[in-house]
Amino acid sequence: MIRVCLLGATGSIGLQTIEYCFEKKDLFSIEGISFRSRKEVIEKYSIYLPNLKYVAIEDEKVALEFKKEHEEYEVISGDNCSLELVKKNAFDKVVNALVGEAGFLSSVETLKLDMDLCLANKESLVIGGEIIKDVLKKSKGKLFPIDSEHVALHKLFKHSSLEEVERVIITASGGSLRELPKEKLKYVTKEEVLNHPTWKMGNRITIDSATMVNKGFEFIEACHLFNIDIDDIEVLINDESIIHSALLYKDNSYLFEVGPSDMKVAIG
């Protein structure tokens, strides 16, 4: 049984990870989770967490309430609760689905403690890719991206070497505003921005998708993950979100990774 620690459990990736691990409960056991304050979501999902032991809650007031209501768990609280949870070193894999730079130190600590890092926190590589790679060289743990594009590239490079490749192509949906004329952008509502045409994601990443900021992060991630020169990557729009990445070979042929727009595929 693989013991899993899930950071950012109440976000879109976090909840889908809980569902996936429950579907594969003969293989995976989520034994630690962290989240900011949405304890009602975790209580709703508690049936999917039969082996849970450690709960880290950033909001100290919510943590106190949760501890009173659930004496069966060891509760950690405060701004650094995710990092403290990782330091328990009681897991085989850490899924880092935190949002923003807050996930960076937890990523570093996971690898320092020789645990596998399943990384959905893009900022870990965007702000500290060189540091992560340096720690990775000394770690017994491995780094696995949880991102449809990077999982796709991981699969594609199983069949190819960089020497054969002319260009790496990362696809983008273009987000919810891709058909909107530029002059109308200043009038869009939050509801329109969050109405993504092909993916169901959390608010933050859906907005970053609409502005293409998310694709900029993924571009930087790909450079670090696969040691690709920045000039050898390009981004192309795939409206249907069916092609997740591609390789253009030096002989002008292509290899595509094609699949459904379902993050459980990448998580798996």
Side-chain angles (χ1 to χ4, degrees):
M1 184 72 74
I2 296 169
R3 300 167 301 165
V4 177
C5 173
L6 173 59
L7 310 181
T10 57
S12 175
I13 294 292
L15 294 178
Q16 290 181 81
T17 299
I18 291 173
E19 292 171 1
Y20 180 84
C21 287
F22 187 73
E23 290 166 9
K24 305 286 183 180
K25 55 182 176 290
D26 291 341
L27 288 175
F28 301 107
S29 170
I30 295 180
E31 300 190 3
I33 62 170
S34 78
F35 59 95
R36 192 168 196 171
S37 61
R38 296 168 65 202
K39 73 182 180 73
E40 71 281 358
V41 176
I42 292 304
E43 285 164 346
K44 180 181 175 183
Y45 272 75
S46 61
I47 191 172
Y48 299 110
L49 297 163
N51 301 314
L52 188 61
K53 298 175 183 175
Y54 307 99
V55 178
I57 306 173
E58 189 176 325
D59 187 308
E60 295 194 1
K61 183 180 176 183
V62 173
L64 191 61
E65 293 172 1
F66 190 88
K67 192 171 184 176
K68 288 178 181 176
E69 296 163 1
H70 300 279
E71 295 181 356
E72 67 271 30
Y73 304 131
E74 181 178 332
V75 178
I76 306 163
S77 63
D79 293 340
N80 296 316
C81 65
S82 291
L83 181 59
E84 293 306 312
L85 177 59
V86 171
K87 287 180 176 180
K88 289 283 181 186
N89 198 15
F91 315 101
D92 302 303
K93 293 183 186 291
V94 175
V95 177
N96 188 344
L98 295 169
V99 175
E101 72 279 0
F104 173 66
L105 290 178
S106 294
S107 291
V108 171
E109 192 65 26
T110 295
L111 293 172
K112 281 186 175 179
L113 292 172
D114 296 325
M115 293 181 284
D116 287 342
L117 173 61
C118 303
L119 189 61
N121 175 254
K122 303 174 194 299
E123 289 83 358
S124 287
L125 287 171
V126 172
I127 68 174
E130 294 299 331
I131 295 170
I132 294 282
K133 287 197 289 184
D134 186 55
V135 174
L136 192 57
K137 288 175 187 175
K138 305 164 190 172
S139 175
K140 293 178 183 176
K142 295 179 180 179
L143 170 59
F144 300 97
I146 296 183
D147 218 331
S148 61
E149 294 81 2
H150 301 106
V151 168
L153 286 176
H154 182 71
K155 293 176 183 176
L156 293 173
F157 276 120
K158 285 183 178 180
H159 304 280
S160 316
S161 66
L162 269 176
E163 289 72 29
E164 301 173 85
V165 174
E166 180 70 28
R167 192 169 294 277
V168 172
I169 297 166
I170 296 175
T171 55
S173 67
S176 54
L177 308 179
R178 65 191 181 197
E179 304 292 341
L180 204 65
K182 190 187 294 185
E183 62 272 14
K184 293 187 177 181
L185 287 175
K186 61 184 176 181
Y187 301 112
V188 297
T189 64
K190 179 182 175 182
E191 288 70 29
E192 288 175 297
V193 176
L194 292 175
N195 185 27
H196 198 286
T198 51
W199 289 99
K200 291 181 180 178
M201 307 178 290
N203 287 5
R204 154 74 190 276
I205 196 168
T206 305
I207 290 169
D208 281 356
S209 175
T211 61
M212 295 294 281
V213 166
N214 185 55
K215 203 54 54 177
F217 285 174
E218 291 176 359
F219 195 97
I220 296 167
E221 270 190 287
C223 292
H224 288 304
L225 285 168
F226 303 102
N227 295 313
I228 306 167
D229 189 274
I230 197 166
D231 294 324
D232 294 332
I233 308 177
E234 70 176 295
V235 174
L236 291 178
I237 300 290
N238 173 237
D239 292 12
E240 300 87 0
S241 298
I242 293 173
I243 300 171
H244 301 297
S245 282
L247 301 177
L248 168 62
Y249 290 107
K250 290 179 179 176
D251 66 0
N252 289 319
S253 62
Y254 287 86
L255 183 63
F256 295 92
E257 201 275 342
V258 179
S261 49
D262 182 354
M263 279 307 298
K264 281 189 184 177
V265 175
I267 290 165

